[in-house]
Amino acid sequence: MKYALFAFFQKVIAFFAALFMLAGPSAAPTDHPETDLPADSVSAYDPAAADYRLFADASSPAHDISDLLFGAFFEDINFAGDGGLYAEMVSNRSFEFTTLAAGDGLFGYSSVNGASLSLTSDASRGLNVNNPTFVTVRNDAEEPAGIANRGWMEGMAVKAGEPYRFSVYARSADYAGALSVRIAAGNKTVAAAEISSVSADWQKYTVELDCTETANEQVTVQVLIDKGAVDLDMVSLFPVHTYGGRENGLRNDLVDALAAMRPKFLRFPGGCVIEGESKETAYHWKDSVGADENGEPLLWNGVYGDVAARRQGIDLWTDLGASEDPYPSFMSYGLGFYEFFQLCEDIGAAPVPVLTAGLYCQMRGKPAVDMDSDEFRADVQDMLDLIEFANGDAATKWGAVRASMGHPAPFGLKMVAVGNENEGQVYFERYAAFLDALHQAQAERPEIYGGVEMIFSSGASDGLNGGMYLPSYQFAKDYIGDGDVSDFAAATDHHYYQSPEWFLQNADYYDPGNYSRTTDRMTDTVYGGAIPVFLGEYAARSNTLYAALAEAAYMTGLERNGDIVKMASYAPLFASTTARHWAPDLIWFNNAEVRPSVNYEVQKLFSVNTGSALLKSTMIGAKVPQKNLSGRVGVGTWYTEAEFDNLLVVNNTTGETILQDAFSIPNFRWNWQNPNGGNFKISGGVLRHEGTDMNYSDIGDVAYYGTDNGMTNYTYRIDAKKTDGEEGFLIPFAVQDQDNGYFWNLGGWQNTISCLQRIENGVKTGQILKTVSDFTVETGKTYHLKIVVRGTRIKCYADDRLLIDYDTANPAEATAYQVVSQDNNGNVIIKLVNVTEQKKTFAVRLNGFDPTGRECEYTSLTGESMEAEEGVVASGKLDLNDSSFNFTAAPRSVTVIRFN
């Protein structure tokens, strides 16, 4: 009995010791000078010598982590498709470019040795209804002449010793000579072949060209004829060595970079591109496998899906207002949905196709498709047909198309995203219509549609306490009712692009205290629900090491919350270095090389080293002390004319007047600064902003009072009256300089809301920090405004009505971040992010884990400076046989430590 009692107390003592270890000491360790230990090194466990103390418990995992957590998003932007991943080297191969391109249908082509080039667009004479335009090459001279194509953007690139596959459709009723095909670098021929003759009817001809030299400037592919005339279409040049050796293939180097990330899913093809600005510019998936004008499969030359039977599209990202865009973005659809599913299968990624919800691009203010129209019904049917294309057997209509293209077995599609960055009631109604159609199809044909789930958009306003997320979740909650969440959505799609600072300050974005796991806890401070999250697009706005570190810090939070965050993908994926529509991007390329960004290295580190279960962990000593708000005050407008009066700033503690201006002295320049040139002046005893035009900046037309950036703990009062315009007032406060501060937006978003916003480095961060959606500024009415700044807290009143109550403290902001997980083999994975300029030592203690017999390895990423656009990746083994140790991380670094 005594022995049993003794053993019991031993267990109790051990239990509380473990709890103490997890909680760590109550006081943070003192700051240490930078260690003399080398980076990426281990030493004996010594908390007193460490900057941070990290405790983790491997004895009982906290929860599972999604097996789809880190993936990739391919958007057809930045020439990511044609001219990029798609290995076709000829631009405008089908002569279908429009007046948006310089040279129209001859964009990218030129005459060789004086040949005449003329276009004909006639479906009855062209290849087919989807490819009606062809070129007639006429040579009236005695010397060979013809046509040349210069390729994409900076041109073609070829390598010595590499074979290239050339193909063309040709015909001629009376030409009896040969077609001479050559690759030229300037005036020098580096590869040549010959097609001996052409028939009177359209026929495809293919030859292989062996290149003798490496060149990436002034390279063209040319087709020359003797005297006479020949019709040509679908002029094409591919490397023979595409990914998987496929004739209609993808660039090896770009797929290799993508595959090295081991993405668990791949979202495709957009993005705004799927919506378009009109029916003509929307992405139609059936065009990517060959369909007629009625959306039915087009059988051509006895097969479905031939690239010559795919209708060309206009990419949303081309300059739709230009008559001669130097780099027009059209979609040949050579990289279509079949190739997308094939790629996902090749690299082991789950496909996540995105389809229109019957809405043109809301971000551009475009209209919705009428739900009673044939067009909307076709949009819904397109979703059902895509699922059949992916999952149906060869006996189904669209399954037969897939089988004809060379893939008899179904692809096994599980998710379809309906809509991109869509929001509001107009989207909710359409999503419900798509969902009802899917449910009906699942009941009727479970062998095809069973197990397929839709992904629901929550818009692109990321405010944790505002934007469109709350209405989206309320709609979801109402629709689900007492039903199963999986019947509504596989996940809800979040998008945001923010500053590095925002990501550092919001690493706890999806923590349970901020993001609910149940549908009955949605308020203006905690939102969410049981629907998993698909973070479909995010990035820290630059391709610098600082941005990459911020993303890494945020990704520790994504992995820590891998129970509710199902998928996450940086965006966009690929971008041409010569011509781009958007930056930053993950992988840069030109005609000859691939340049992964430093952000890519972070994505790769996390994706390759994702755990399957989270281990409970805590770190002591990394939290950043929160600074009290301080800075100047001001006034401003957004496309609005207004008057301001009775400015008063008093100290909250003493009641002392700090600033006061009744605008009785008509000299604006004495006390005011308007850095972006708004039309402000003092007259008639008020400060006026005249005119409803705006000298556009991200912070509107504003003026700042005084020069005291250190003013803190104050109440700011100002009277404001709108005299004309679209919106209301912007009231700056806690302004450090023209690029950093806060402002209260009254009458924003077309005079509908009151919200709090922040400016960091000249850019809005967080967009909406706090929102009240029922505020409208009336013209001619004087509003008595009051802003109370106390410590890190802000309260804003209009006519004594409290509209804003927000604490700016960022409990997630730290100098270091961590997450600890375990994979299915019991391997412990520690991720450490050091966002300081110094080496930092982590005292790591793993409870319930025996490293004996396990090999310990590390991989780290760092760089020479926070502004560096490249990083250095190092890896090696660590001599560790103890579950407690000190690890010294390099400055500006991300490190993964694995016990295998």
Side-chain angles (χ1 to χ4, degrees):
M1 182 68 181
K2 290 181 180 179
Y3 176 79
L5 195 60
F6 176 74
F8 170 76
F9 280 113
Q10 272 193 321
K11 290 180 180 180
V12 170
I13 292 169
F15 172 76
F16 282 104
L19 284 181
F20 177 78
M21 185 201 73
L22 278 174
S26 58
T30 57
D31 289 338
H32 298 281
E34 184 170 351
T35 177
D36 292 331
L37 293 171
D40 299 332
S41 68
V42 294
S43 54
Y45 181 67
D46 184 0
D51 299 284
Y52 313 118
R53 304 180 192 181
L54 172 59
F55 305 91
D57 185 3
S59 61
S60 60
H63 57 70
D64 289 342
I65 295 171
S66 169
D67 59 1
L68 297 175
L69 183 55
F70 295 121
F73 167 39
F74 175 97
E75 180 169 6
D76 204 342
I77 187 175
N78 300 319
F79 297 91
D82 288 334
L85 183 63
Y86 187 45
E88 173 64 82
M89 299 169 67
V90 173
S91 63
N92 188 23
R93 66 184 176 189
S94 62
F95 302 98
E96 302 293 340
F97 277 21
T98 70
T99 54
L100 292 173
D104 300 350
L106 285 174
F107 179 89
Y109 290 94
S110 59
S111 172
V112 179
N113 296 337
S116 69
L117 310 177
S118 59
L119 293 176
T120 301
S121 187
D122 184 340
S124 65
R125 297 178 58 202
L127 280 183
N128 52 59
V129 66
N130 286 342
N131 191 3
T133 307
F134 59 92
V135 67
T136 300
V137 180
R138 179 175 294 279
N139 179 18
D140 294 325
E142 299 300 326
E143 297 296 321
I147 189 170
N149 186 277
R150 67 175 182 265
W152 302 96
M153 278 83 72
E154 68 276 8
M156 297 182 181
V158 292
K159 294 181 180 179
E162 286 293 316
Y164 295 86
R165 182 180 295 110
F166 173 87
S167 65
V168 67
Y169 281 83
R171 72 177 176 191
S172 180
D174 52 15
Y175 179 71
L179 300 184
S180 296
V181 182
R182 68 185 188 185
I183 298 174
N187 295 322
K188 185 176 183 179
T189 299
V190 297
E194 187 175 277
I195 298 168
S196 59
S197 63
V198 297
S199 67
D201 298 317
W202 286 116
Q203 185 173 325
K204 183 178 181 180
Y205 301 92
T206 303
V207 294
E208 196 167 292
L209 302 164
D210 293 316
C211 201
T212 59
E213 294 189 19
T214 296
N216 59 7
E217 292 183 1
Q218 296 183 314
V219 177
T220 59
V221 62
Q222 303 178 2
V223 181
L224 306 181
I225 63 173
D226 296 325
K227 195 170 186 179
V230 177
D231 295 335
L232 303 177
D233 204 351
M234 292 298 294
V235 180
S236 175
L237 185 69
F238 274 85
V240 170
H241 298 138
T242 59
Y243 192 80
R246 299 189 177 101
E247 289 193 18
N248 188 55
L250 308 179
R251 274 181 59 167
N252 264 318
D253 51 0
L254 287 176
V255 178
D256 285 344
L258 171 61
M261 290 171 58
R262 297 185 205 166
K264 307 309 183 295
F265 67 86
L266 184 59
R267 182 175 180 245
F268 173 95
C272 297
V273 69
I274 64 115
E275 303 165 303
E277 295 190 336
S278 64
K279 184 178 181 180
E280 290 70 33
T281 57
Y283 189 105
H284 302 284
W285 84 263
K286 290 178 179 177
D287 288 341
S288 80
V289 298
D292 63 20
E293 62 273 16
N294 297 315
E296 295 298 315
L298 181 62
L299 185 68
W300 187 71
N301 282 350
V303 297
Y304 293 108
D306 192 295
V307 292
R310 303 185 191 183
R311 182 184 294 110
Q312 178 182 270
I314 302 174
D315 194 307
L316 175 78
W317 292 103
T318 201
D319 188 351
L320 297 175
S323 60
E324 293 190 353
D325 186 346
Y327 300 113
S329 299
F330 292 88
M331 295 180 291
S332 70
Y333 284 121
L335 170 54
F337 266 85
Y338 177 77
E339 291 76 22
F340 159 61
F341 285 127
Q342 205 170 42
L343 174 61
C344 289
E345 193 173 69
D346 287 342
I347 66 176
V352 182
V354 187
L355 298 175
T356 177
L359 291 165
Y360 303 127
C361 188
Q362 283 185 292
M363 297 299 106
R364 291 169 171 82
K366 301 303 177 181
V369 178
D370 185 349
M371 291 182 66
D372 293 327
S373 68
D374 290 341
E375 183 181 349
F376 182 76
R377 284 185 283 272
D379 287 338
V380 176
Q381 188 62 44
D382 280 352
M383 177 193 70
L384 299 177
D385 290 344
L386 175 65
I387 298 171
E388 183 180 277
F389 175 78
N391 293 351
D393 61 30
T396 63
K397 179 169 71 174
W398 288 101
V401 173
R402 182 201 66 244
S404 176
M405 296 175 74
H407 201 286
F411 284 114
L413 178 66
K414 297 296 184 184
M415 290 176 286
V416 177
V418 174
N420 170 71
E421 295 182 355
N422 295 140
E423 58 189 29
Q425 190 62 31
V426 68
Y427 169 66
F428 302 157
E429 294 170 352
R430 283 157 178 77
Y431 181 86
F434 276 81
L435 191 55
D436 291 345
L438 177 61
H439 287 163
Q440 182 177 342
Q442 288 173 329
E444 296 172 354
R445 304 173 72 187
E447 72 281 5
I448 296 174
Y449 298 98
V452 176
E453 297 177 278
M454 284 168 42
I455 293 175
F456 173 64
S457 170
S458 288
S461 300
D462 60 82
L464 199 59
N465 303 308
M468 284 306 300
Y469 285 9
L470 281 174
S472 296
Y473 275 85
Q474 189 59 53
F475 167 74
K477 180 180 178 181
D478 293 343
Y479 188 99
I480 294 167
D482 296 328
D484 193 319
V485 168
S486 64
D487 290 334
F488 176 77
T492 184
D493 194 3
H494 292 180
H495 293 184
Y496 36 83
Y497 298 90
Q498 293 296 349
S499 69
E501 291 81 6
W502 186 91
F503 283 98
L504 292 170
Q505 294 162 3
N506 288 277
D508 61 348
Y509 195 94
Y510 294 107
D511 281 3
N514 295 325
Y515 195 96
S516 174
R517 269 59 170 169
T518 63
T519 56
D520 60 353
R521 283 188 61 222
M522 294 189 295
T523 69
D524 63 348
T525 57
V526 178
Y527 76 112
I531 309 173
V533 172
F534 176 22
L535 180 50
E537 299 183 30
Y538 72 98
R541 285 186 172 170
S542 75
N543 285 132
T544 62
L545 179 60
Y546 180 48
L549 291 175
E551 289 156 1
Y554 196 76
M555 292 171 76
T556 64
L558 297 180
E559 187 165 353
R560 185 173 61 252
N561 292 288
D563 60 326
I564 197 69
V565 181
K566 183 174 185 175
M567 298 179 288
S569 51
Y570 183 102
L573 178 61
F574 294 119
S576 164
T577 58
T578 302
R580 68 170 187 256
H581 309 109
W582 184 277
D585 300 278
L586 206 60
I587 301 171
W588 295 88
F589 66 88
N590 59 24
N591 61 2
E593 64 178 348
V594 175
R595 296 199 340 234
S597 67
V598 67
N599 314 68
Y600 165 90
E601 301 297 346
V602 164
Q603 295 292 322
K604 181 180 174 182
L605 271 178
F606 273 75
S607 185
V608 169
N609 295 287
T610 308
S612 58
L614 180 74
L615 300 184
K616 296 176 183 177
S617 62
T618 186
M619 186 162 64
I620 306 300
K623 295 298 182 184
V624 172
Q626 298 300 302
K627 295 181 180 179
N628 290 336
L629 292 166
S630 64
R632 290 180 288 168
V633 299
V635 297
T637 67
W638 187 277
Y639 289 107
T640 297
E641 183 176 85
E643 296 178 354
F644 301 93
D645 198 3
N646 299 320
L647 180 150
L648 178 66
V649 180
V650 299
N651 184 286
N652 291 331
T653 302
T654 65
E656 174 190 2
T657 296
I658 303 173
L659 300 172
Q660 189 170 13
D661 198 335
F663 305 107
S664 57
I665 301 176
N667 195 328
F668 175 77
R669 295 182 180 179
W670 281 6
N671 295 315
W672 291 85
Q673 298 174 339
N674 57 327
N676 62 343
N679 190 17
F680 290 92
K681 69 177 182 180
I682 298 174
S683 66
V686 296
L687 172 61
R688 303 180 189 274
H689 178 263
E690 297 187 340
T692 58
D693 294 334
M694 189 176 77
N695 295 312
Y696 183 78
S697 77
D698 211 22
I699 55 176
D701 282 351
V702 297
Y704 303 132
Y705 189 86
T707 59
D708 185 3
N709 293 343
M711 186 170 63
T712 187
N713 190 29
Y714 58 80
T715 295
Y716 169 35
R717 298 176 184 269
I718 189 81
D719 293 341
K721 180 171 70 174
K722 171 181 172 179
T723 55
D724 194 10
E726 299 179 6
E727 298 202 350
F729 318 116
L730 303 176
I731 309 299
F733 62 96
V735 176
Q736 290 297 304
D737 54 52
Q738 68 182 61
D739 292 331
N740 295 277
Y742 291 82
F743 61 89
W744 181 16
N745 186 343
L746 296 97
W749 276 260
Q750 296 300 307
N751 203 11
T752 60
I753 64 174
S754 156
C755 66
L756 179 66
Q757 295 182 280
R758 184 178 182 181
I759 297 294
E760 282 186 308
N761 301 321
V763 178
K764 294 191 186 85
T765 63
Q767 281 288 2
I768 301 172
L769 299 180
K770 185 76 173 182
T771 297
V772 175
S773 60
D774 61 347
F775 195 86
T776 300
V777 177
E778 299 177 21
T779 302
K781 177 181 177 179
T782 298
Y783 292 86
H784 305 290
L785 308 179
K786 179 174 70 173
I787 300 173
V788 180
V789 177
R790 193 186 303 273
T792 60
R793 194 161 188 173
I794 300 164
K795 291 185 178 182
C796 301
Y797 302 79
D799 296 332
D800 294 324
R801 175 188 169 195
L802 178 63
L803 295 179
I804 303 290
D805 187 351
Y806 187 78
D807 195 328
T808 63
N810 294 297
E813 188 175 10
T815 57
Y817 300 80
Q818 58 82 26
V819 65
V820 185
S821 61
Q822 195 171 40
D823 67 15
N824 288 322
N825 296 317
N827 303 319
V828 170
I829 307 165
I830 303 171
K831 298 184 181 72
L832 305 173
V833 183
N834 175 15
V835 298
T836 75
E837 296 279 5
Q838 295 82 36
K839 287 185 289 185
K840 293 292 183 180
T841 298
F842 296 77
V844 180
R845 188 171 181 184
L846 298 174
N847 181 51
F849 178 72
D850 183 3
T852 304
R854 292 181 181 268
E855 186 175 75
C856 186
E857 60 186 18
Y858 77 92
T859 305
S860 66
L861 166 70
T862 187
E864 294 183 356
S865 70
M866 290 294 191
E867 292 72 37
E869 295 183 356
E870 296 180 349
V872 177
V873 179
S875 61
K877 300 190 185 308
L878 299 174
D879 185 13
L880 272 176
N881 293 304
D882 197 327
S883 60
S884 299
F885 57 92
N886 279 15
F887 177 82
T888 299
R892 307 173 297 276
S893 66
V894 184
T895 305
V896 177
I897 300 173
R898 292 185 64 108
F899 289 91
N900 294 324

